[in-house]
Amino acid sequence: MLFWENIRLALTSLKSNKMRSLLTMLGIIIGISSVIAIVTVGNSLTATLSDSMLSLGANNITVYLDRKEIKDETTEEGYVFQNTDGVQEVLDEDLITNDMIMEYKEKFPDEVYAVSATNDVLSNGVSSVGKKSAAVNLKGVSAGFFVEKSTKILAGRLFTAKEMLEGRKLALVSEKYVEKIYPSNEDAIGQDIVISGNGKDYTFTIAGVYEKSDSDMGMALLVGSFNSASDVYIPLKTAQDITHQKNYTNVSVVLKSGINPNEFSKETEKFFAGYYRTHRSFTVHAMSLASVTEQLENMMNKLTLGISVIAGIALLVGGIGVMNIMLVSITERTREIGTRKALGAPNSSIRTQFIVEAVVICLIGGLIGVMGGIGLGALAVKLMKGVATPSVSSIVVSLLFSMGIGVFFGYYPANKAAKMDPIEALRYE
Amino acid sequence: MEETRKKCIEITGVVKKYFIGTPNELAALDGVDIDVYEGEFLAIVGASGSGKSTLMNIIGALDRPTEGGYKLDGLDVTAANDDELSAIRNRKIGFVFQTYNLISKTSALKNVEMPMLYAGVPAKKRVERAKELLNDVGMGDRIKHLPEELSGGQKQRVAIARAMSNDPSIILADEPTGALDSKTGRLVMDIFHRLNKEQHKTVVLITHSPELAEECDRIISLKDGKVTGVRPGSGKAVGE
Ligand SMILES: Nc1ncnc2c1ncn2[C@@H]1O[C@H](COP(=O)(O)OP(=O)(O)O)[C@@H](O)[C@H]1O
Ligand SMILES: [Mg+2]
């Protein structure tokens, strides 16, 4: 009964000092909204990550060419410098070769399930049929690539081993591509696809249509590149014939189940780095998707911690602001407090009244903060092309926390009001 | 005749000292003995600073005497704790102040409801009774008005309605007409007479006005914290 009356009183008091109340809430609003925003961003990032983990397989290892670290050298005179003599641009002969991959597979038959290699021919080329056109990336891929991506064929078929070996002019296109050009997936099979780019035209026959997976978007988000062009896959050999590149800057390894990708990535790195021991400029690194995810999550956690510290300070300052304004408020309302006491209000009622008022200020600030935080988080996630997933538990915790701040910082002023001497309070000018 | 009436307030040897920095102590009340009878209309008069308000605060259970005894309806008030004093103020006493002391930004109705709120009266009953009380003092058409929107006399009528809300047996009014012109003061005084005659409320009135004091049943004079005289009044409103 008194509860609703107290809330009504608190709202009346807030309404009569709108600007002051808003300024008081500011600290709470900033604190809560930054927490909610960062949790929203973190959540959707984690969701995207685990999505891509699932479909890409956390069991994969990426092996990639990397520049060796240039060590600082010291001259006889004591100058420190970086010797860049002989540091070269990457050439085809520096890249990971088919021979290395063969030897790798032979050395680890129990661990390696497939090795996926790609050869990028063209990115953002154009393929048109009549008036319709679509943007495409042209990619040569090994058989292992389809294993790695667990590619699903919607119409037509995959390349045969023979076709891949011979470097036939066949292509697998995405359903997104078909959508733009043909009425149905089946209509695309057997058609020619002409891709223009780099001043040349490349012609292939469509052998199949594959399903576009969501993880591609997730991956794009992770890598930070995003283009709307769909991938056209051709046999690796065919691509190598076009680009005259026989080797790879990176390959993916699909592991057999039960192999720990983190541990095996170290052995993989050791194996490939063996080829580059004496190389002046380059070496090879290997990492598992799991470790990338771990790194990203670590980074996210650090960011969350940093923002939480800032939010905590904002909330502390906000709480002190609430305490301050409550002290001002009870001083202004000293006569009211005296009157209430004269009319029979027990000390506990006065205390409750002002604690409720502080809690209401904080709760309204918390609500505004939650809404602001969701908006801010959604905006940030949208900029990263993800899907915002505000966390209900963090909202509930935030609101409870704001109420807690209200009780904690409202108690002292409320208790001061409760302990006022009624006569002194009534005489207050 | 007086012996047959029941005492509701018994004050014996009450001393109230204020310590305004040692060794200065000031006795606002210096050994006061007063009995008030049920249904009596009592006036307390005296110069400013004579201790009238101090006495009123002790009777109203807002303050405790430094020495002496105070019984209200046979109950020893000096032994009561803070919460018991609150309950006494809430149920047995109705305060009316010179400066009205209505809660600002709060409607006349809500102001009158307030003592009932602390008495735990359910909302519906509260509103009903508050409307009735405001009607009784002729403020029934202004229940939604804020104190800021009322004249002094209207404010004091709302304050009287508020004092009556828990149907207390005693009304304590500390210079209730002090801030009003004589015409509105008359109106307010008539309400006290009516409450005394029709509802048999005990009324203790502090006043500066000799005419208003004469209308009461009994007049007690205070000087320097001591009772200097007790005499009967007419007990009738002017023109009655
Ligand atoms: N809180 C206080 N502290 C110190 N002196 C006080 C206090 N309250 C009242 N007094 C003193 O007690 C005396 C009686 O005051 P009061 O009862 O208010 O007089 P009255 O109401 O008759 O004008 C005065 O001298 C006044 O200054
Ligand atoms: Mg006085």
Side-chain angles (χ1 to χ4, degrees), chain B residues 32-34 42-46 55 218-233:
Chain B
V32 173
D33 302 285
I34 293 176
L42 179 75
I44 297 176
V45 297
L55 176 62
R218 206 155 50 114
I219 304 154
I220 289 179
S221 308
L222 275 187
K223 196 181 175 210
D224 296 337
K226 289 194 175 74
V227 176
T228 55
V230 183
R231 61 192 172 84

Side-chain angles (χ1 to χ4, degrees), chain A residues 393-414:
Chain A
S393 62
S394 71
I395 291 171
V396 171
V397 168
S398 297
L399 293 181
L400 286 178
F401 196 74
S402 352
M403 288 170 77
I405 290 173
V407 173
F408 186 81
F409 288 98
Y411 185 84
Y412 172 72

Side-chain angles (χ1 to χ4, degrees), chain A residues 326-354:
Chain A
M326 289 308 295
L327 285 170
V328 171
S329 175
I330 65 159
T331 305
E332 284 173 353
R333 288 153 73 186
T334 300
R335 276 183 82 95
E336 172 187 331
I337 294 163
T339 307
R340 287 179 182 278
K341 288 191 157 197
L343 297 175
N347 294 354
S348 57
S349 290
I350 303 286
R351 192 181 298 120
T352 311
Q353 178 188 337
F354 287 101

Side-chain angles (χ1 to χ4, degrees), chain B residues 1-217:
Chain B
M1 180 200 151
E2 281 192 2
E3 284 68 36
T4 60
R5 286 191 293 166
K6 223 176 128 200
K7 291 174 186 168
C8 59
I9 292 169
E10 295 165 78
I11 286 174
T12 45
V14 159
V15 174
K16 179 70 192 183
K17 283 179 183 157
Y18 287 110
F19 300 91
I20 26 181
T22 43
N24 308 330
E25 57 172 51
L26 182 142
L29 292 178
D30 196 3
V32 173
D33 302 285
I34 293 176
D35 290 334
V36 183
Y37 298 90
E38 272 181 8
E40 189 180 17
F41 197 152
L42 179 75
I44 297 176
V45 297
S48 180
S50 57
K52 305 183 295 294
S53 294
T54 306
L55 176 62
M56 190 70 106
N57 289 337
I58 287 173
I59 296 175
L62 270 172
D63 204 358
R64 288 190 174 89
T66 316
E67 285 168 36
Y70 169 32
K71 279 187 182 170
L72 178 68
D73 288 337
L75 195 114
D76 185 4
V77 178
T78 56
N81 66 26
D82 278 2
D83 281 348
E84 286 162 348
L85 289 183
S86 297
I88 290 170
R89 294 196 291 267
N90 190 228
R91 316 291 170 96
K92 298 205 168 204
I93 311 271
F95 273 105
V96 180
F97 307 93
Q98 177 176 3
T99 50
Y100 328 119
N101 283 341
L102 295 179
I103 309 289
S104 60
K105 290 162 198 145
T106 306
S107 70
L109 189 74
K110 284 280 170 199
N111 262 286
V112 176
E113 276 185 53
M114 207 182 68
M116 293 188 267
L117 203 75
Y118 295 120
V121 178
K124 239 184 99 183
K125 252 186 143 173
R126 257 178 5 228
V127 175
E128 235 167 66
R129 173 145 176 86
K131 280 182 181 165
E132 231 170 76
L133 288 164
L134 282 166
N135 258 327
D136 285 354
V137 295
M139 291 294 292
D141 54 345
R142 285 187 170 70
I143 60 171
K144 292 278 174 226
H145 281 59
L146 302 180
E148 294 83 347
E149 301 161 354
L150 297 174
S151 73
Q154 291 171 330
K155 279 189 224 180
Q156 198 59 300
R157 277 141 74 192
V158 173
I160 294 171
R162 183 177 65 181
M164 295 301 297
S165 70
N166 282 329
D167 199 19
S169 51
I170 300 168
I171 295 173
L172 301 180
D174 192 345
E175 301 191 36
T177 61
L180 303 176
D181 60 70
S182 54
K183 215 179 125 212
T184 30
R186 180 72 259 153
L187 203 96
V188 165
M189 193 63 190
D190 287 341
I191 295 175
F192 286 122
H193 275 295
R194 196 154 51 77
L195 292 173
N196 176 246
K197 295 263 151 40
E198 293 171 8
Q199 300 186 32
H200 312 291
K201 302 289 178 201
T202 308
V203 181
V204 180
L205 172 80
I206 293 177
T207 180
H208 264 119
S209 152
E211 300 95 68
L212 293 184
E214 283 312 319
E215 297 177 10
C216 300
D217 296 330

Side-chain angles (χ1 to χ4, degrees), chain A residues 104-122:
Chain A
Y104 174 66
K105 277 184 176 166
E106 274 163 28
K107 181 147 190 230
F108 301 106
D110 297 332
E111 290 90 351
V112 177
Y113 181 63
V115 175
S116 146
T118 60
N119 186 318
D120 290 343
V121 179
L122 196 61

